[in-house]
Amino acid sequence: STLVAAAVATSSELQERAALKQVGTTAAIAAALTARGVPGPLARLAAELGALALKDGFAVWIADGATGDLGQLTRAALDQLRATAARL
C-alpha cells in the first residue's frame, strides 16, 4: 500500500532493511542458479535482473489503483527489462 511505501520512505532503518532484503534475495537467486549449473557471472547477472524486476513489480503492486497480482506485475517488469537489454 502507499502507507507502507510512505513509512519506508521516511525511515532510514526501514530503507536499510529493504536494501538488505534485496541483497539477500539476489544472493539466494544467484546461489540457486549456480547450484543448477549456471556459470557464476551469468547467475549473478540473472539474479540482479530478477531482483530488479521484483522490485519494479512490487512498486507497481503497492501503488494505489494497481491491478494484477505481484507475479503478473513482476513478469511484466522482467519483460520490460528484457526489451530494454535487447536494445543495448
Side-chain angles (χ1 to χ4, degrees):
S1 76
T2 55
L3 292 175
V4 172
V8 172
T10 61
S11 169
S12 59
E13 291 86 7
L14 291 177
Q15 290 171 12
E16 183 177 344
R17 183 175 177 212
L20 288 173
K21 279 184 170 182
Q22 185 171 357
V23 168
T25 299
T26 303
I29 294 169
L33 291 170
T34 301
R36 288 180 172 85
V38 177
L42 182 56
R44 289 190 302 276
L45 177 60
E48 290 289 343
L49 288 173
L52 182 56
L54 178 59
K55 181 181 176 184
D56 290 350
F58 184 76
V60 173
W61 187 60
I62 65 169
D64 280 342
T67 59
D69 67 25
L70 180 57
Q72 292 170 328
L73 296 169
T74 300
R75 281 189 294 279
L78 184 58
D79 290 343
Q80 197 170 34
L81 287 169
R82 285 181 182 146
T84 300
R87 292 186 299 221
L88 294 177

